[in-house]
Amino acid sequence: MKVLNLRCAHGHGFEGWFASNEAFDSQLASGLVECPVCGDTAIVKLLSAPRLNLGNAKAPEAAAPTAASNVSAELSPEARWMRAVREVLAKTEDVGDRFADEARKMHYGEAQERGIRGQATPEQTEALLDEGIPVMALPIPAALKETLQ
């Protein structure tokens, strides 16, 4: 298994796991490798150091916990954004193209309030905002919309 450090043309860095370098090259040529943040398929492989298994190597000393142990502080902006998007996906109901109707029903007390997400045209979004219904656009990468196989 090869773990490669990759980057898209927009500068988003991410990891890719492939059976071999040939598998990566094949998938890249077929347009199957895309940035999980923006969906860009112009991907480059970055240089990375190999992992060496040294059976008799001494285990590193455990470091004392520090303020740097806060995981979210160590994450890149892209990783923090992806974590936030995953949380929104997990805690909301996808109502698809019925978003504007469902938001109105909740606003006017015709339906139980809950977290929803879906699609709305720019005109529908403007109309919701004019009615005092707060909405927010959240671009979701295609990789998060599909199930992993």
Side-chain angles (χ1 to χ4, degrees):
M1 183 65 60
K2 294 280 186 176
V3 180
L4 303 176
N5 292 322
L6 307 172
R7 183 173 30 212
C8 75
H10 301 286
H12 303 129
F14 59 99
E15 268 187 2
W17 291 46
F18 301 91
S20 64
N21 281 326
E22 294 77 25
F24 166 73
D25 293 336
S26 171
Q27 291 179 34
L28 183 65
S30 300
L32 298 175
V33 182
E34 67 178 37
C35 175
V37 176
C38 65
D40 187 13
T41 57
I43 306 298
V44 294
K45 181 171 39 170
L46 302 175
L47 294 176
S48 61
R51 178 173 183 260
L52 301 175
N53 288 327
L54 303 174
N56 60 355
K58 191 175 173 182
E61 305 253 345
T66 65
S69 64
N70 183 356
V71 175
S72 64
E74 297 173 6
L75 296 175
S76 69
E78 293 88 1
R80 287 194 307 266
W81 179 75
M82 290 292 283
R83 180 177 281 179
V85 169
R86 284 188 183 105
E87 188 170 335
V88 168
L89 291 176
K91 294 182 178 181
T92 58
E93 176 187 345
D94 186 3
V95 295
D97 58 1
R98 300 184 338 259
F99 178 80
D101 294 332
E102 290 294 321
R104 279 191 184 93
K105 287 178 186 176
M106 288 189 305
H107 182 73
Y108 294 113
E110 299 169 9
Q112 179 183 2
E113 287 204 22
R114 64 198 189 281
I116 62 170
R117 61 185 152 80
Q119 295 80 40
T121 65
E123 294 80 19
Q124 290 172 322
T125 302
E126 187 67 32
L128 289 170
L129 291 171
D130 288 344
E131 292 178 49
I133 303 171
V135 295
M136 180 180 97
L138 179 66
I140 299 175
L144 290 180
K145 293 180 185 176
E146 301 169 3
T147 58
L148 295 176
Q149 297 182 13

